[in-house]
Amino acid sequence: MRPIKNLLFTLIFIIMLTGLAAAGVNVEIASYPSQITVDESANISVYINQSDTLVNFTTTLGNLSAASAITNSSGYATVRINSTVTGIATINASVGDVYNTTNVTFLAGMPASIDVNVSQNPLIVGNITIVNLTVYDQYNNINSTAN
């Protein structure tokens, strides 16, 4: 019976050392603002119920200011995100196997260039010609909201 007791104690000790006993961790994540242009950045804030804990971050789009951060004495950790590409970034914050996600939408920046296409060339007086304008920001993202 003693070898089983020693084995059980050893398993419990190993689980505690590897951090698997952190099942009580809750990861709350928020982005502010949640919609920005490509020339801006957003804060990604995480709250967990522990201080001095390593939080790992990943994103599907854009660049994070850091891949990880340590929670402060209040349980908060913050990184920033930016992108030169439009779209929706899904940011994942994890502590061990516990994670949560938030989204940041990147919109095109201010107009930087315009492409002009006409339906017929040369233009003929008296005929109807369709003119298409495509507006781009400084990173060549199409700006569909430009007036």
Side-chain angles (χ1 to χ4, degrees), residues 3-83:
I4 292 175
K5 193 183 263 188
N6 286 343
L7 178 63
L8 182 60
F9 176 77
T10 303
L11 286 174
I12 291 171
F13 183 71
I14 290 171
I15 289 171
M16 290 174 66
L17 280 179
T18 59
L20 296 177
V25 171
N26 181 32
V27 176
E28 297 176 24
I29 185 171
S31 55
Y32 182 79
S34 61
Q35 182 172 302
I36 58 177
T37 62
V38 292
D39 47 1
E40 299 176 318
S41 62
N43 286 322
I44 308 300
S45 295
V46 171
Y47 171 77
I48 64 171
N49 53 350
Q50 295 178 5
S51 63
D52 299 320
T53 301
L54 180 68
V55 180
N56 294 304
F57 295 90
T58 59
T59 182
T60 59
L61 177 73
N63 301 302
L64 294 167
S65 61
S68 62
I70 304 278
T71 56
N72 63 18
S73 61
S74 300
Y76 286 95
T78 301
V79 297
R80 296 183 63 74
I81 186 170
N82 61 29
S83 178

Side-chain angles (χ1 to χ4, degrees), residues 86 107-117 131-147:
T86 59
L107 303 173
M110 294 297 293
S113 65
I114 300 173
D115 279 347
V116 179
N117 294 305
V131 178
N132 291 311
L133 303 175
T134 306
V135 180
Y136 297 92
D137 69 9
Q138 70 268 30
Y139 303 109
N140 285 331
N141 297 301
I142 295 175
N143 187 329
S144 58
T145 62
N147 293 326

Side-chain angles (χ1 to χ4, degrees), residues 87-98:
I88 298 172
T90 300
I91 301 95
N92 180 313
S94 62
V95 176
D97 292 336
V98 181

